[in-house]
Structure formats: structure tokens, C-alpha cells
């Protein structure tokens, strides 16, 4: 049991996690349940969802429900959202977690491949957000939307171009709806986790054993390690709780400093020793002294 937050942090919350049958969504679900939430998992595969629901509901049996939904299909999303509202009650939060991605050279992508990724990430997040948001507004209820993005929304990323494009679009939705829906007490935020090991994504994003190829290598991360699902769950719970009602429109990176140390910065210097840094200091001091001396001439 996570002891950072009260076990009642999310009491009374009803939270939907899209793509909740696997990976990050599945891991976060259990933490939400442990902190008092009722959780609804959406995904395309019933058997996977049933297993995830059984696992996540262990701390509080009966608190996890699942629905087979393809978020790319608005009719399917809207009908299932309506069923949740009428059979369980209004949601209090939506976690847009469903994603699709694979590493490929962009020149080799087919239109179907592009669409498989963008329709899940971009259209799926819009469909789910829209279906919940219009109900919250009609019912005059507050709500909270949280989308799982990546730091590629700021930097772009080679070899995962459809994912980078689609996640940037969801970032734009986050900023736009934060403004449009603030008067309805609906908050819209996002998180951008760095690499966090989950079986499927890890396999997909590390297609070879060359560490420089995958998106998951830890030597480019100043913190020196990948993130954990517990850390992501803590941030998620904070954002979906009542702790920060004034926080909206933000995308919060949690990546051990990886993005800020990316290409074009001095990331390679993280492996230097104290002696190396001393030498750099002396060299740079000497250079600035010499420069000063030239200016005063
Ligand atoms: C090139 C590929 C391909 C590949 C599929 N396609 N895989 N092209 N390289 N590796 C092409 C197919 O040939 C087809 O095009 C088109 O994509 C659609 O493929 P389908 O298999 O029919 O689509 P679908 O069943 O919808 O599957 C979508 C999927 C699948 C993306 C391929 O992997 C999926 O559903 N994944 C969901 C989960 C997921 O990806 N999670 C990872 C998220 S990680 P043609 O033209 O041949 O018919 C993430 C960021 C992590 O988001 C960040 C870490 C730092």
C-alpha cells in the first residue's frame, strides 16, 4: 500500500481509464482503487480487461468495472459513456491513456499505419473527452480530464512521427479546453512521463538490442533510471484529486530530466567526474580571464 496519500484521497471518485487493460493504465488503476476510487477500464480485448479488473479490484472487490470499447469509434464511446452515467452514475474523471505506437521509418508508413496510431491517440482522446465533457456540462457537474502524453509534444520525435503528431494534438486540446471549460469547473491537464517499463511498450519501443536505438535507454536520463508506475500513479492521483482545483491546462513532464538534457544540450556531460569538472572550470575561467584582458586593452 502506497503511504504517500490518504487511502481516502479519491473516495467518491468515479474514474475512467481508457486503455486500462494493459501497461501504464492497468498499473495506475490499482493505485486509484487503493485510494478509494471506483474505476472503469476501457479496452478492446475483453479477456485482458477482465484480468486487469480482477487484479485492480483486489483491495476493494467490486470497485472496478470494464467495458469493451474502441476509442476510435465515437458511437461506441458515446453509447458506453451513456451506459456508465445511467448504470453507475456520472464519472468524476477521465484518464485518456489509450495509445498506439511503433517505431518505424516514416517513409515506410502506409496511410493505414498512420491512421491506426493517430486515430487511437488523437481521435480517441477527443471522443472520450467530448463524451464525458458534454455530460458534465449538461448535468452542471465538475470534472477532470487527464491525458497521458510524452515529452515529444514539445520536441517532436523521429521514427515515431504519427505518435508525436497525435500527442501534440492532444496537448493542444488540453490547453484549449482548459480555457473553454474552466467556467464549467472542468479541469483539463496532461502528464508526460519518460520511459516507464511495461512489457508491451518496452518491447515495441526497443526493437533491437542496440541501446542507442530504443526510446527507453536510461543513460540519457539525468536521474539515471527509468520512472516507475508508482510515481506516475502518485502524480495521476494528485491531479485527479481535489488537491489542486486551480491547476488546469498544464502538461507536466515527469522524466527524470530527460527532455531538458536532450540533443542540443549538454546531456553527454552527465557522466563526467569531479576532476573533469574541475578541469572544465579552470579552462573556462582561464578563457574568460583572457577575454576580459583583451576587452580592457
Ligand atoms: C510498420 C506497421 C507496424 C510496424 C502495424 N503496421 N505495425 N507498419 N511497422 N511495426 C501497419 C500495418 O501494416 C497496417 O497497415 C496498419 O499499421 C494497421 O495495422 P493493424 O495491425 O491492422 O492495426 P491495429 O490492429 O489497429 O493495431 C494498431 C497497432 C497496435 C498500433 C499496430 O500495435 C496497437 O493497437 N497497439 C496499441 C498499444 C500500443 O501501441 N501501446 C504502446 C504505446 S507506447 P497496412 O497498410 O499494411 O494495412 C506510447 C509511447 C511510449 O504511446 C513513450 C515511451 C517514452
Amino acid at each position: 500500500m502506497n503511504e504517500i496519500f490518504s487511502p481516502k484521497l479519491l473516495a467518491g471518485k468515479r474514474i475512467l481509464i481508457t486503455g486500462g487493460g494493459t501497461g501504464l493504465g492497468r498499473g495506475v488503476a490499482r493505485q486509484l482503487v487503493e485510494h478509494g476510487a471506483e474505476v472503469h477500464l476501457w479496452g478492446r480485448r475483453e479477456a485482458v480487461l477482465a484480468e486487469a479488473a480482477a487484479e485492480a479490484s483486489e483491495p476493494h472487490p467490486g470497485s472496478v468495472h470494464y467495458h469493451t470499447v474502441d476509442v476510435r469509434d465515437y458511437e461506441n464511446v458515446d453509447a458506453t459513456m451513456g451506459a456508465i452515467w445511467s448504470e453507475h452514475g456520472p464519472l468524476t474523471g477521465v484518464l485518456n491513456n489509450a495509445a498506439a505506437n511503433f517505431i518505424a521509418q516514416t517513409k515506410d508508413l502506409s496511410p493505414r499505419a498512420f491512421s491506426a496510431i493517430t486515430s487511437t491517440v488523437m481521435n480517441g482522446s477527443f471522443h472520450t473527452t467530448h463524451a464525458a465533457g458534454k455530460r458534465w456540462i449538461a448535468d452542471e457537474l465538475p470534472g477532470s480530464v487527464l491525458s497521458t502524453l510524452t515529452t515529444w509534444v514539445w520536441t517532436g520525435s523521429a521514427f515515431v512521427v504519427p505518435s508525436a503528431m497525435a500527442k501534440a494534438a492532444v496537448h493542444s486540446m488540453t490547453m484549449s479546453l482548459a480555457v473553454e471549460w474552466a467556467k464549467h469547473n472542468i479541469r483539463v491537464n496532461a502528464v508526460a512521463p519518460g520511459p516507464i517499463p511495461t512489457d508491451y511498450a518496452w518491447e515495441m519501443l526497443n526493437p533491437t538490442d542496440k541501446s542507442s536505438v530504443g526510446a527507453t535507454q536510461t543513460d540519457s536520463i539525468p536521474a539515471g533510471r527509468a520512472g516507475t508506475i508508482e510515481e506516475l500513479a502518485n502524480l495521476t492521483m494528485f491531479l485527479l484529486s481535489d488537491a489542486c482545483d486551480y491547476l488546469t491546462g498544464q502538461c507536466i513532464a515527469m522524466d527524470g530530466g530527460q527532455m531538458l538534457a536532450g540533443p542540443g544540450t549538454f546531456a553527454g556531460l552527465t557522466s563526467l567526474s569531479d576532476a573533469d569538472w574541475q578541469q572544465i572550470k579552470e579552462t573556462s575561467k582561464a578563457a574568460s580571464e583572457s577575454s576580459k584582458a583583451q576587452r580592457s586593452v
Side-chain angles (χ1 to χ4, degrees):
M1 172 71 186
N2 173 331
E3 293 184 355
I4 304 279
F5 296 120
S6 156
K8 293 184 191 155
L9 180 77
L10 300 175
K13 301 289 185 207
R14 181 174 293 111
I15 296 166
L16 164 65
I17 305 179
T18 66
T22 54
L24 298 179
R26 181 172 180 157
V28 165
R30 187 183 171 107
Q31 297 274 345
L32 301 189
V33 170
E34 283 186 351
H35 290 80
E38 176 182 308
V39 170
H40 291 255
L41 303 178
W42 283 8
R44 287 176 292 173
R45 291 171 292 168
E46 183 158 10
V48 170
L49 287 170
E51 198 185 297
E55 185 185 279
S57 63
E58 216 175 24
H60 297 295
S63 58
V64 181
H65 306 272
Y66 63 88
H67 317 260
T68 50
V69 178
D70 185 340
V71 292
R72 298 178 286 195
D73 176 350
Y74 186 76
E75 309 283 309
N76 192 187
V77 166
D78 196 42
T80 314
M81 196 67 82
I84 290 179
W85 241 255
S86 57
E87 289 163 28
H88 299 270
L91 292 173
T92 61
V94 165
L95 181 53
N96 286 315
N97 167 79
N101 197 11
F102 49 76
I103 292 181
Q105 294 195 87
T106 305
K107 70 181 177 60
D108 295 334
L109 290 176
S110 70
R112 281 198 68 234
F114 178 79
S115 168
I117 295 171
T118 55
S119 63
T120 302
V121 176
M122 183 177 80
N123 300 27
S125 299
F126 178 78
H127 292 160
T128 310
T129 303
H130 183 268
K134 71 179 183 184
R135 288 178 169 81
W136 284 327
I137 293 168
D139 295 350
E140 296 184 9
L141 290 171
S144 183
V145 176
L146 189 61
S147 300
T148 308
L149 303 180
T150 67
T151 57
W152 308 332
V153 302
W154 295 295
T155 62
S157 184
F159 306 112
V160 285
V161 167
S163 169
M165 290 170 68
K167 286 193 181 272
V170 178
H171 186 211
S172 182
M173 177 187 82
T174 300
M175 295 185 287
S176 307
L177 287 181
V179 174
E180 194 173 326
W181 288 355
K183 70 176 181 188
H184 300 295
N185 292 319
I186 298 171
R187 298 187 299 120
V188 192
N189 289 296
V191 293
I196 294 177
T198 58
D199 295 343
Y200 182 77
W202 227 236
E203 212 177 301
M204 290 293 271
L205 296 171
N206 281 305
T208 77
D209 57 6
K210 290 187 189 133
S211 66
S212 59
V213 172
T216 56
Q217 71 276 12
T218 54
D219 53 4
S220 68
I221 302 172
R225 64 171 177 87
T228 67
I229 288 189
E230 287 69 28
E231 288 169 323
L232 179 64
N234 286 342
L235 181 59
T236 301
M237 289 193 290
F238 173 71
L239 290 167
L240 289 174
S241 77
D242 297 328
C244 49
D245 281 350
Y246 207 46
L247 200 166
T248 195
Q250 302 304 307
C251 179
I252 300 175
M254 189 178 69
D255 67 347
Q258 185 186 41
M259 179 186 71
L260 297 174
T265 68
F266 297 100
L269 304 187
T270 53
S271 57
L272 295 186
S273 66
D274 288 347
D276 292 328
W277 280 111
Q278 187 57 33
Q279 196 196 332
I280 288 172
K281 193 173 167 185
E282 282 163 14
T283 307
S284 65
K285 269 195 153 186
S288 76
E289 289 303 333
S290 153
S291 162
K292 259 188 228 165
Q294 282 165 6
R295 278 202 299 273
S296 61
V297 171

